[in-house]
Amino acid sequence: MRRVWRSAHPALVGHGEKDDLREVFMMYVDPPAPQPRQPGETPPSTGSGALDGQPRAWEFNPEYQRLVSAWQAVLPLLDTLTTSLDKGYQMGKDARTWDAPVGARYVGEIAEWRTRLGLYRQAVLTSISDVAADTPRWIPRATGAPHAFS
């Protein structure tokens, strides 16, 4: 599932009376998430080569699983922060909440924090996604190979 979220850019939010506030939204799409191991997923088949007859044991990469866990841990926290700021922003824009001219300044500051959180979110999720893209899902397991002399 692709998540698309919007953030008002603070430089593009007008300052002045509430009716004059202009919003221009920048759209972001979350990068691809690392995929957890699916039930019934099998490791890759062995390649063709001289050692085709040799069985190879595979295991799901613990480093990749750590990235999956990090993604699953950080995404709900970022969504909660985004929802909180969006709620405050919508309340701040409501004429019943702010009746004073200072309200526009507060709405502008909340918009700036929304943008900063959006950039932080993009940086965190992109870094996890980039490392996951470079990390193999399956790694060869060290097997106890028989030795002639023990």
Side-chain angles (χ1 to χ4, degrees), residues 46-66:
T46 57
S48 61
L51 299 176
D52 278 343
Q54 299 292 325
R56 175 172 267 176
W58 293 90
E59 69 177 330
F60 196 72
N61 191 347
E63 288 298 313
Y64 192 87
Q65 181 58 44
R66 185 181 61 82

Side-chain angles (χ1 to χ4, degrees), residues 5-111:
W5 51 279
R6 303 181 304 170
S7 177
H9 193 278
L12 302 175
V13 175
H15 297 284
E17 295 299 318
K18 284 220 170 274
D19 297 333
D20 292 340
L21 287 179
R22 296 179 316 270
E23 297 180 47
V24 176
F25 289 99
M26 298 176 1
M27 299 287 289
Y28 298 96
V29 176
D30 286 347
Q35 297 301 312
R37 182 177 179 184
Q38 302 298 322
E41 182 179 356
T42 59
S45 61
T46 57
S48 61
L51 299 176
D52 278 343
Q54 299 292 325
R56 175 172 267 176
W58 293 90
E59 69 177 330
F60 196 72
N61 191 347
E63 288 298 313
Y64 192 87
Q65 181 58 44
R66 185 181 61 82
L67 294 168
V68 169
S69 300
W71 182 282
Q72 292 172 344
V74 76
L75 192 60
L77 297 173
L78 291 171
D79 286 341
T80 301
L81 287 171
T82 301
T83 302
S84 298
L85 281 176
D86 288 346
K87 183 179 177 184
Y89 183 75
Q90 293 303 322
M91 288 176 61
K93 284 178 29 180
D94 189 6
R96 294 174 292 168
T97 304
W98 292 109
D99 200 15
V102 73
R105 187 182 84 208
Y106 290 137
V107 169
E109 288 176 3
I110 293 173

